[in-house]
Amino acid sequence: MKKYWREVLLGSIVVLIIIPLIIAYMMSFSLIETDTNNVWIGFWGSYLGAIVGGVISGCVAMYVLVKTLQDNKRMQRREEIIYFCDRLVRKSGEFAQKYQSTFYKMHDYMAYKENLKPSESAFDSYKEFLEPLHSGKIVLYEILQHLEIRKDISLFSTSNAALVTKSVSETYAKFSEMETIVAKAEKMQDIDEEKLISIMEDSLGLLAIYEKELLNKVVD
């Protein structure tokens, strides 16, 4: 409706002003007989009454239509954001579980590596370490793709949108490096575990802030 407001205004002016003026102009030159005043009074009453009634009805119908469309759009925006936030929450929780399992399995493997010669048990422990690591990478990749796809859509734009996308991207890269880091490490002290944990937790924290910002956009 905003797009065609000029056309609507022009049509209203034509119906309410231009047409009556044309008829009045024709009557002033006796192009229309004016002897039957009562007939013309009745005509003008019916004509103007129909116009006023039609305009009022049209305005009411237009208002109801516009209001309905606005409410539907607002509801659609709300549902899209709630669905997206719900997905981010579930994926964030899944990644938190995966990365914690990865660190537990990393400790088990490094214990074998430090205290024992290469053995079947150490190999099995390394495979157990890789399982949550690879699963966590998949979850992080899904989160990153969800953010990347929506980064240029205003509905999902917040003050921290770009920052959280960058953080998840860096976390994905660092988490992917852990396989190489652990494989090269001779002992647990060779791994900067605190820094790795900090990167994971900071990313999860930014995701939580971003989710709250999105939900605040649709809070009535």
Side-chain angles (χ1 to χ4, degrees):
M1 294 307 301
K2 293 180 180 179
K3 182 178 180 181
Y4 298 104
W5 69 269
R6 291 186 179 85
E7 288 79 357
V8 174
L9 179 60
L10 179 61
S12 300
I13 292 175
V14 169
V15 172
L16 295 174
I17 299 176
I18 303 301
I19 292 177
L21 287 177
I22 291 175
I23 295 176
Y25 179 77
M26 292 170 64
M27 291 174 61
S28 66
F29 284 93
S30 299
L31 296 175
I32 299 177
E33 294 294 335
T34 58
D35 293 338
T36 54
N37 290 333
N38 290 335
V39 174
W40 276 110
I41 291 174
F43 164 77
W44 279 109
S46 300
Y47 179 78
L48 295 177
I51 291 177
V52 172
V55 169
I56 292 176
S57 299
C59 289
V60 171
M62 192 71 65
Y63 173 80
V64 172
L65 176 62
V66 171
K67 187 67 175 174
T68 300
L69 292 175
Q70 289 177 342
D71 290 343
N72 289 342
K73 184 176 181 180
R74 190 180 302 112
M75 184 62 65
Q76 182 181 3
R77 286 165 54 90
R78 180 185 179 88
E79 290 176 355
E80 287 181 15
I81 287 181
I82 290 176
Y83 172 79
F84 181 52
C85 287
D86 179 65
R87 190 160 186 82
L88 284 182
V89 168
R90 287 189 283 111
K91 288 298 177 181
S92 298
E94 188 177 349
F95 172 68
Q97 186 272 326
K98 295 294 183 183
Y99 107 73
Q100 290 172 13
S101 295
T102 299
F103 277 76
Y104 292 145
K105 297 299 182 181
M106 177 181 67
H107 276 271
D108 291 341
Y109 169 65
M110 292 307 299
Y112 276 110
K113 195 172 183 179
E114 288 182 43
N115 301 317
L116 300 174
K117 293 180 180 180
S119 65
E120 185 176 340
S121 296
F123 180 70
D124 290 340
S125 180
Y126 185 67
K127 289 195 299 182
E128 290 178 1
F129 155 72
L130 291 180
E131 183 178 350
L133 174 66
H134 291 168
S135 298
K137 284 170 58 179
I138 293 173
V139 175
L140 262 184
Y141 180 79
E142 290 178 355
I143 295 174
L144 183 59
Q145 290 306 303
H146 281 303
L147 295 172
E148 287 284 355
I149 289 171
R150 294 167 174 82
K151 67 180 181 180
D152 295 324
I153 302 176
S154 60
L155 177 62
F156 301 98
S157 177
T158 72
S159 59
N160 284 292
L163 182 61
V164 73
T165 302
K166 180 181 178 182
S167 176
V168 172
S169 178
E170 292 174 351
T171 302
Y172 176 77
K174 184 59 67 174
F175 198 66
S176 299
E177 291 176 8
M178 282 188 63
E179 183 173 350
T180 303
I181 292 172
V182 172
K184 290 182 177 180
E186 296 296 330
K187 54 185 181 299
M188 195 63 211
Q189 287 74 12
D190 295 335
I191 301 172
D192 193 346
E193 184 179 13
E194 290 186 4
K195 182 178 180 180
L196 290 171
I197 291 176
S198 177
I199 291 172
M200 309 301 159
E201 290 296 330
D202 288 348
S203 184
L204 290 170
L206 283 171
L207 276 168
I209 292 173
Y210 176 59
E211 291 155 11
K212 290 179 181 178
E213 288 179 335
L214 285 177
L215 290 174
N216 286 335
K217 294 180 71 172
V218 295
V219 172
D220 294 329

